[in-house]
Amino acid sequence: MHMVSLFFRHGHYRFVKAKKEIILSAGAIDTPKILMLSGIGPMDHLNSLDLKCLLDLPVGQNLQDHTMTLFGPILVDTPESLLFSRALNLRSVFDFATMRSGPVATTTQGAIGFVSSSVRKDDNWPDIQITHVSLGIISGLTEFYEHLFNVKSEIYKKYIQDENENVRSEVDANILGISLQRPKGRGYVKLASRDPFVPPLIQPNYLSHPDDVRALVEGIKTVIDLYENTTVYRRINARLYNKPFPGCEDTLFKSDSYYECFVRHITTTIYHPVGTAAMGKNINDKHSVVDSKLRVLNTSGLRVIDASIMPVIPNGNTNIPSIMIGEVGSDFIINHWKNQFEVSNLPTHLMYPEHDIVSTQNLILAE
């Protein structure tokens, strides 16, 4: 029998006994936090917080995420982008209410494409995702960026000010999201405290690898070539907003150095963290935390079923892979317990008889 202690929001401890398994599905940030608080993680780190290390595993390491450079705006001379002053009227509201159509129904994401940078062209597996957003320079754009991407509104306001320091608005334009889908940089999650209510320390190490910066710069140059050197976009006079981003004024505009500066100033997460309880090839894989059945190595009755088990981040969005992990993980559990005693009364989840098995007593879950 396995015991897990939970701390509920109303302030009372509850002890729940699990006769079969404990399933940990707290995501790539809180799953490693819970495991480390329970004594499963890097020994040196746990010892530094006076936590007893039951299993020395690379929990919290291998953090990967998709980042996106908010590139643009690309100005255009035709009324093709979404401007609220133009889109919000009685007709557009009527179209949305009766047919779910019209400008009010749009997400503004007109297209998504994948390209390979020179960093990854050898294996023909795209590493850059380009998201076309037909959103003009609108009132509230800077506040939207701050709310969604934590880009400080005063910085972007300075960027889109005109020569009289008035913030431009209601200008037709496109915004491009240049996403790094196969980052080489790796981060980590660590405990900040023994207290389960203290948030963990997250060091994503974005842009720490020079190839990651180079790939994003190449993605930007691909977009510039598309907008400024193709017939269809020349017809609408598409051109990059002709003002250096704040902090990049000392670099040559539209040079590689300028684009690198731009990338380092306005690249943000798109909230796809994975990899902090990675699935490995076998029990001797020093980078692994779980096996191919999502069982935590050298434990009895403990599985991790969430995005933290991905050893390498996919080059597409992580929503569908996470759903797949949940579906396959549930099949593992059902099939395991359905067949548990068909041949032997020995529980098959004691899968490493040659190693010490750690029980999952006192797994700490905090809400």
Side-chain angles (χ1 to χ4, degrees), residues 43-54:
M43 181 179 293
D44 291 345
H45 176 51
L46 298 186
N47 289 344
S48 70
L49 294 171
D50 293 325
L51 287 168
K52 182 179 180 181
C53 183
L54 302 178

Side-chain angles (χ1 to χ4, degrees), residues 15-202:
F15 296 93
V16 179
K17 295 179 179 179
K19 293 183 178 180
K20 295 181 177 179
E21 295 189 39
I22 294 169
I23 312 302
L24 189 52
S25 299
I29 304 301
D30 276 348
T31 281
K33 173 187 171 184
I34 293 169
L35 287 173
M36 288 187 285
L37 285 171
S38 304
I40 301 175
M43 181 179 293
D44 291 345
H45 176 51
L46 298 186
N47 289 344
S48 70
L49 294 171
D50 293 325
L51 287 168
K52 182 179 180 181
C53 183
L54 302 178
L55 271 178
D56 185 11
L57 292 175
V59 173
Q61 303 302 303
N62 192 48
L63 175 63
Q64 300 160 63
D65 193 8
H66 291 148
T67 56
M68 181 172 67
T69 301
L70 300 168
F71 186 65
I74 303 289
L75 304 181
V76 296
D77 287 350
T78 54
E80 302 295 334
S81 59
L82 179 66
L83 298 178
F84 292 150
S85 60
R86 183 170 61 218
L88 293 181
N89 52 55
L90 289 177
R91 179 52 189 256
S92 64
V93 172
F94 177 80
D95 288 345
F96 178 75
T98 57
M99 297 177 288
R100 295 297 188 266
S101 64
V104 180
T106 183
T107 65
T108 73
Q109 292 190 14
I112 293 178
F114 289 85
V115 297
S116 294
S117 72
S118 63
V119 174
R120 296 288 191 175
K121 278 186 177 177
D122 56 329
D123 55 18
N124 196 31
W125 181 13
D127 59 335
I128 294 294
Q129 175 179 299
I130 300 172
T131 304
H132 168 273
V133 181
S134 56
L135 179 66
I137 302 176
I138 59 173
S139 176
L141 179 65
T142 59
E143 288 78 12
F144 171 76
Y145 274 0
E146 182 165 23
H147 174 73
L148 190 59
F149 300 115
N150 202 31
V151 175
K152 299 304 180 184
S153 62
E154 60 268 21
I155 296 175
Y156 210 81
K157 282 180 180 178
K158 183 178 179 181
Y159 179 45
I160 60 174
Q161 283 177 346
D162 61 21
E163 58 277 5
N164 297 318
E165 297 188 356
N166 297 314
V167 177
R168 291 180 172 87
S169 65
E170 305 305 308
V171 178
D172 279 296
N174 289 174
I175 304 294
L176 284 302
I178 315 296
S179 302
L180 181 66
Q181 300 302 103
R182 299 175 60 194
K184 292 186 176 182
R186 297 291 186 269
Y188 57 81
V189 175
K190 289 185 176 181
L191 295 176
S193 166
R194 294 164 52 97
D195 185 346
F197 291 103
V198 174
L201 300 174
I202 305 170

Side-chain angles (χ1 to χ4, degrees), residues 159-280:
Y159 179 45
I160 60 174
Q161 283 177 346
D162 61 21
E163 58 277 5
N164 297 318
E165 297 188 356
N166 297 314
V167 177
R168 291 180 172 87
S169 65
E170 305 305 308
V171 178
D172 279 296
N174 289 174
I175 304 294
L176 284 302
I178 315 296
S179 302
L180 181 66
Q181 300 302 103
R182 299 175 60 194
K184 292 186 176 182
R186 297 291 186 269
Y188 57 81
V189 175
K190 289 185 176 181
L191 295 176
S193 166
R194 294 164 52 97
D195 185 346
F197 291 103
V198 174
L201 300 174
I202 305 170
Q203 173 51 271
N205 283 328
Y206 297 141
L207 307 181
S208 59
H209 197 290
D211 282 352
D212 291 347
V213 178
R214 184 156 64 101
L216 286 168
V217 168
E218 290 186 19
I220 288 175
K221 292 169 73 174
T222 297
V223 165
I224 290 295
D225 185 57
L226 175 68
Y227 272 90
E228 296 190 349
N229 297 315
T230 57
T231 302
V232 64
Y233 281 111
R234 280 179 173 174
R235 288 173 182 167
I236 60 175
N237 194 26
R239 71 276 184 196
L240 177 62
Y241 180 61
N242 190 25
K243 181 181 179 180
F245 195 82
C248 302
E249 296 91 346
D250 293 336
T251 59
L252 180 62
F253 188 64
K254 297 180 75 172
S255 66
D256 284 7
S257 297
Y258 173 75
Y259 293 143
E260 178 176 345
C261 181
F262 194 101
V263 164
R264 292 191 177 280
H265 274 78
I266 194 166
T267 295
T268 180
T269 177
I270 49 176
Y271 309 106
H272 292 171
V274 308
T276 49
M279 180 174 63

Side-chain angles (χ1 to χ4, degrees), residues 297-326:
L297 301 178
N298 295 323
T299 67
S300 167
L302 175 61
R303 295 186 205 244
V304 173
I305 305 180
D306 60 33
S308 66
I309 67 97
M310 299 183 194
V312 179
I313 195 168
N315 71 329
N317 291 3
T318 54
N319 181 27
I320 296 300
S322 298
I323 294 171
M324 179 275 294
I325 290 168

